[in-house]
Amino acid sequence: MLKFIHLTDTHLVPAKQALWGLDPAWRLRRAVQSINRHHADAEFCVVTGDLTHYGQREAYVALAEELSQLVVPCLHILGNHDHRATYCSIFEDASVDTNGFVQFVRSAGELGRCVFLDTNEPGVHHGVFCEKRAEWLRARLSENTGDKVTLFMHHPPFNVELPSMDQYSLLDPSHFRHAIDGHESRIRHIFFGHVHRPICGAWRGISFSTLRGTNHQVALDFDATTLIRGSHEPPQYGVVFMDLERLIVHMHDYLYRGETFMMDGSKEFLEYS
Ligand SMILES: [Fe+2]
């Protein structure tokens, strides 16, 4: 059984600054504390982009500081709010492909491989998966063709029926679509971020999931077409279990502090972290 943690959209800003009235570092810290306490047996944690909000060096320093407290290895990919060169200057062991994109592979043993993709394009908020990135993915999919593959990316490669966010999904998903053509049955799941909402479903027969970020959220507003409506719904992390037959994703509202009750009628206060 493979167990890992999915975090997304941490949107760190320089220390002591707020974002949408919240402290992104504090909220990430609480996630890290909860993961350390309850999921120290996870094989890794992955953050699927928008690691920082403005891409400043000081924000990546703050991010590195917070993530250094995790007791499980942590992997990251880039989102539209990130700055690739600055990220790589702080995370010097970042895995980049021959074209400089933050794309890499991690073995999941008999469960195949986890493949992490870069959809960041400087200066824009929509995602880009260009032919160079697609070539890299095509090459990975042509290796070990008996392996299953689990994909991780920031932008969804399809619309999720939230028009204000869909305008910023992959601008031209054709390179991605063509890269995975014929491999759909090998792809276990696509984990992505970007939308700041808990969503799951299937696309071209491939299951997918995303979840709320650790700072601010996107409201469930199917009518907004241009401006994005934000919200302060609770942050989440995902706890993922995979074996040869199952892929299970639990979404956890890790800041919840409140009464719980046992089904025999007794009550207790549950402190998650
Ligand atoms: Fe984001």
Side-chain angles (χ1 to χ4, degrees):
M1 175 73 75
L2 169 67
K3 176 183 180 183
F4 68 88
I5 304 298
H6 184 192
L7 279 171
T8 198
D9 292 86
T10 47
H11 284 261
L12 265 278
V13 291
K16 298 190 171 62
Q17 292 185 17
L19 180 64
W20 305 122
L22 304 168
D23 179 346
W26 181 86
R27 291 162 79 89
L28 174 58
R29 195 174 310 139
R30 297 310 294 259
V32 167
Q33 289 167 350
S34 176
I35 293 162
N36 286 348
R37 179 169 176 186
H38 299 286
H39 309 293
D41 59 338
E43 283 199 30
F44 62 88
C45 173
V46 56
V47 191
T48 50
D50 281 357
L51 308 171
T52 65
H53 191 67
Y54 300 113
Q56 307 116 305
R57 180 179 175 80
E58 298 78 9
Y60 286 108
V61 169
L63 176 75
E65 168 90 21
E66 299 299 337
L67 293 180
S68 71
Q69 301 304 308
L70 266 175
V71 299
V72 300
C74 190
L75 314 170
H76 352 95
I77 55 175
L78 301 181
N80 46 295
H81 281 269
D82 287 305
H83 188 278
R84 189 178 292 112
T86 308
Y87 164 78
C88 290
S89 74
I90 300 298
F91 292 89
E92 290 176 346
D93 58 349
S95 299
V96 294
D97 68 13
T98 52
N99 294 305
F101 296 112
V102 179
Q103 303 200 120
F104 54 97
V105 173
R106 180 187 172 104
S107 172
E110 64 174 357
L111 301 180
R113 290 175 298 161
C114 296
V115 177
F116 301 84
L117 304 176
D118 184 339
T119 57
N120 168 278
E121 187 72 5
V124 296
H125 281 302
H126 58 255
V128 170
F129 199 69
C130 59
E131 185 52 27
K132 283 182 177 171
R133 287 174 256 200
E135 250 176 51
W136 180 90
L137 175 58
R138 207 174 287 118
R140 302 293 75 74
L141 291 172
S142 69
E143 299 165 347
N144 309 332
T145 52
D147 275 3
K148 297 285 188 184
V149 172
T150 304
L151 296 179
F152 298 80
M153 58 204 299
H154 180 71
H155 294 82
F158 47 80
N159 287 344
V160 295
E161 298 306 318
L162 289 169
S164 65
M165 292 303 292
D166 287 340
Q167 66 183 323
Y168 299 119
S169 61
L170 274 195
L171 183 64
D172 173 7
S174 63
H175 298 295
F176 179 77
R177 292 177 67 105
H178 291 151
I180 66 166
D181 267 344
H183 297 284
E184 290 88 343
S185 64
R186 295 172 56 203
I187 300 175
R188 290 288 305 269
H189 195 81
I190 303 175
F191 291 92
F192 59 85
H194 189 56
V195 192
H196 293 239
R197 291 211 57 79
I199 307 172
C200 60
W203 170 73
R204 299 178 78 182
I206 305 166
S207 63
F208 67 80
S209 62
T210 184
L211 70 166
R212 294 195 194 109
T214 55
N215 195 61
H216 56 286
Q217 315 307 340
V218 169
L220 187 64
D221 184 341
F222 295 112
D223 299 322
T225 55
T226 50
L227 268 184
I228 299 165
R229 184 187 299 276
S231 84
H232 286 171
E233 290 166 81
Q236 297 180 317
Y237 62 73
V239 183
V240 183
F241 297 92
M242 281 177 71
D243 63 18
L244 289 171
E245 293 189 337
R246 299 170 301 155
L247 190 151
I248 312 290
V249 184
H250 294 268
M251 311 294 191
H252 180 41
D253 296 353
Y254 63 88
L255 283 187
Y256 177 72
R257 298 287 182 281
E259 192 176 70
T260 62
F261 56 91
M262 306 306 288
M263 296 294 176
D264 65 359
S266 60
K267 295 181 179 180
E268 62 182 28
F269 190 86
L270 183 62
E271 182 69 24
Y272 277 121
S273 59

